[in-house]
Amino acid sequence: MEKRFYITTPIYYVNDVPHIGHAYTTLACDVLARYKRARGFEVFFLTGTDEHGQKVEKAAYTKGETPLELADRVVKRFQALWDKLDISHTDFIRTSQERHKKGVRQLFRKIESAGDIYLGAYEDWYCTPCETFWTETQLLDGCCPDCGRSTEKLKEESYFFRMSKYQQALLDHIEANPDFIQPRTRRNEILNFVREGLRDLSISRTSFSWGIPVPGNERHVIYVWFDALTNYITALGYPDDPDGDVRKFWPADVHVIGKDILRFHTVYWPTFLLAAGIPLPKKVFAHGWWTVEGQKMSKSLANVVEPNMLVDKYGVDAIRYFLMREVPFGLDGDFSHTSLVHRINSDLANDLGNLVSRSTAMLNKYFGGALPAPGPSTARDDAFVARFPTAVRNLDTQMNDLAFNKALQTIWDLVGAANKYIDETAPWSLAKKDEDREKLATVMYNLIEAIRLIGLMSAPFLPNTGSRILDILGLDGADTSLEGRDAWGGLQPGTKVEKAEPLFPRIETE
Ligand code: ME8
């Protein structure tokens, strides 16, 4: 079977500029995409922008622009940030693109011709920021139960999707596929929600015009979530390319999202697909939310963390490391400058940086930079080496579980073990006696080989550092593949190794 992997980010609204929360989701996808590529998978990694809807229309008109002008401007900021963060996406979809609009109209028609879309009337409480209708009983003190902002009563003629019809099929699917919704707590949340009953869903609007017209009734535009969710198949060429990427990559292996948009991805999207007879994505993984220095990130608090500034100040790999290391993927976390600086100094500058500079410096001092063949091994050498195959296996499981912080823990346990191995074997003492030359050769070989594997394993997280480590070891830094290269002993004796400059400067704090 061919190894293929399809991973998606949410498509981001263009009425906001990218912040650390958007960077987080995209980064997590990038890490997994890079890992899967290193494992020999053909990866389709999709991101993009969600450009239609009343929010964008309003934001544009208050700025004196057309919605498309606003979108064009903000899209550039997203794309520039993804470049800066070394995001390796395959495609960037914009919902204003014709390829997308065509696919959305087609999906609408398909569900309509199956008899699951009908024209009705709608009267409910609408939250404009969330683009969501709520029933009277769902409101909290008259306000949106999701964002807490005020709602307005709207009555509209509307097309409805017979979502109620798919309640049982969806429940059956969630129950039969324990991994469909992750983490587990989120799965339970959705199971409870679906068991309480699904209402039919309003999937068109007449109160604004910035969107995709309903086929055959141009007074209506298609509901922004119906439009947006469909990006996951239109980017593959749905419906025109049945033998192309749709066949190759659908169903998606994982939609990575924030917990705020779980219901759209695990109730609306799967029921649309069921109605259209399209297979469901294999997994939806909802991560937690970041607060900043203990507070919710918000424009009014002026505490929105701007990723460009962080990258300029600390470097891209440091930011990638921190975001993936600090918080278990799936839980909420807090962003603070103190913990960022602490992580950089302790894990990157000290632990990894020192390992690489100490080891390569010793190799240059004791062996002129040429890797010796290992001599006989002691029990301590064997125990050190034995950690690596286990770590490689654990890493694979953890990556497939999107347990990024555990995966980094696995790698940093190796870094810690290597530093301890230096302290315990004390190469500087071995170097003093001729009769310890063989022992020294074993220690130096093991250290440099350990660094090779650590560099390869960390490359999906730290692409620049991973490549730099391989370059230092005389390998091709551009090739970070793990397939067939993750076994101990890959480095050939005789390899010339540079004396490394520090990988990460220490951040000085007052
Ligand atoms: O919801 N912490 O777009 P959006 C962590 N267009 N992640 C955060 C975050 C935070 N504080 N704030 C935002 C939309 N995110 C729709 C999606 S998909 C078919 C349509 C991340 O621009 C998180 O992944 O509001 C969340 O799901 C996403 O940004 C929302 O981005």
Side-chain angles (χ1 to χ4, degrees), residues 52 95-113 117 203 211-218 220-223 226-228 230-231 233-234 238-240 276:
H52 292 133
T95 55
S96 59
Q97 288 167 337
E98 192 48 44
R99 60 168 175 161
H100 173 74
K101 294 193 274 189
K102 201 159 89 180
V104 171
R105 286 193 296 266
Q106 178 59 26
L107 185 70
F108 193 99
R109 272 197 219 98
K110 174 123 192 201
I111 299 177
E112 192 175 35
S113 62
I117 289 178
I203 52 162
I212 304 172
V214 165
N217 188 350
E218 307 259 314
H220 289 251
V221 294
I222 295 176
Y223 173 46
F226 185 98
D227 168 347
T230 309
N231 92 88
I233 55 176
T234 56
Y238 174 86
D240 286 343

Side-chain angles (χ1 to χ4, degrees), residues 11-13 19 21-22 25 50 225 258 260-261 287 289-290 297:
I11 48 172
Y12 302 105
Y13 286 130
H19 58 61
H22 309 124
T25 317
D50 188 356
W225 274 101
D260 53 319
I261 54 176
H287 65 65
W289 264 43
W290 287 90
M297 217 183 332

Side-chain angles (χ1 to χ4, degrees), residues 40-108:
F41 284 75
E42 187 185 350
V43 173
F44 197 104
F45 167 17
L46 179 67
T47 189
T49 42
D50 188 356
E51 304 184 8
H52 292 133
Q54 193 167 14
K55 263 195 284 185
V56 175
E57 193 181 74
K58 268 193 187 162
Y61 292 140
T62 41
K63 291 198 174 80
E65 293 173 297
T66 66
L68 192 59
E69 281 165 352
L70 174 120
D72 285 343
R73 202 161 45 74
V74 178
V75 161
K76 287 202 192 84
R77 299 197 48 174
F78 275 98
Q79 288 170 333
L81 179 63
W82 302 153
D83 282 350
K84 194 153 185 163
L85 284 169
D86 284 325
I87 303 301
S88 63
H89 51 285
T90 316
D91 198 354
F92 188 104
I93 188 149
R94 300 182 53 179
T95 55
S96 59
Q97 288 167 337
E98 192 48 44
R99 60 168 175 161
H100 173 74
K101 294 193 274 189
K102 201 159 89 180
V104 171
R105 286 193 296 266
Q106 178 59 26
L107 185 70
F108 193 99

Side-chain angles (χ1 to χ4, degrees), residues 268-442:
Y268 296 9
W269 179 227
T271 53
F272 298 159
L273 292 169
L274 285 169
I278 299 172
L280 307 196
K282 292 180 206 158
K283 191 189 290 186
V284 177
F285 194 109
H287 65 65
W289 264 43
W290 287 90
T291 51
V292 174
E293 314 279 354
Q295 283 187 304
K296 194 172 175 210
M297 217 183 332
S298 84
K299 276 188 196 154
S300 51
L301 290 172
N303 67 346
V304 175
V305 179
E306 212 284 297
N308 285 288
M309 179 276 289
L310 287 179
V311 172
D312 290 340
K313 193 157 173 195
Y314 301 108
V316 56
D317 280 12
I319 299 305
R320 291 175 62 111
Y321 179 81
F322 175 78
L323 290 176
M324 292 296 107
R325 179 69 185 85
E326 189 69 2
V327 179
F329 203 59
L331 301 185
D332 293 337
D334 185 52
F335 182 93
S336 83
H337 284 273
T338 317
S339 42
L340 172 63
V341 169
H342 176 75
R343 281 280 175 207
I344 296 176
N345 284 345
S346 78
D347 299 9
L348 299 178
N350 266 356
D351 298 346
L352 179 62
N354 281 346
L355 171 66
V356 175
S357 46
R358 284 208 284 175
S359 306
T360 58
M362 290 189 291
L363 185 73
N364 276 271
K365 190 161 172 200
Y366 305 141
F367 291 94
L371 188 69
S377 285
T378 63
R380 177 161 50 211
D381 299 323
D382 291 340
F384 175 63
V385 169
R387 287 171 161 271
F388 284 78
T390 316
V392 165
R393 271 199 308 279
N394 290 344
L395 178 74
D396 196 56
T397 312
Q398 290 156 346
M399 294 303 278
N400 286 324
D401 290 345
L402 288 85
F404 302 115
N405 78 315
K406 284 191 194 161
L408 283 172
Q409 182 68 59
T410 297
I411 304 169
W412 257 255
D413 282 347
L414 296 176
V415 173
N419 279 319
K420 188 154 172 260
Y421 182 67
I422 299 181
D423 297 340
E424 290 178 357
T425 54
W428 46 90
S429 304
L430 298 174
K432 285 188 186 132
K433 299 194 206 110
D434 271 350
E435 66 264 32
D436 286 339
R437 192 76 185 153
E438 289 271 278
K439 280 190 193 157
L440 180 63
T442 304

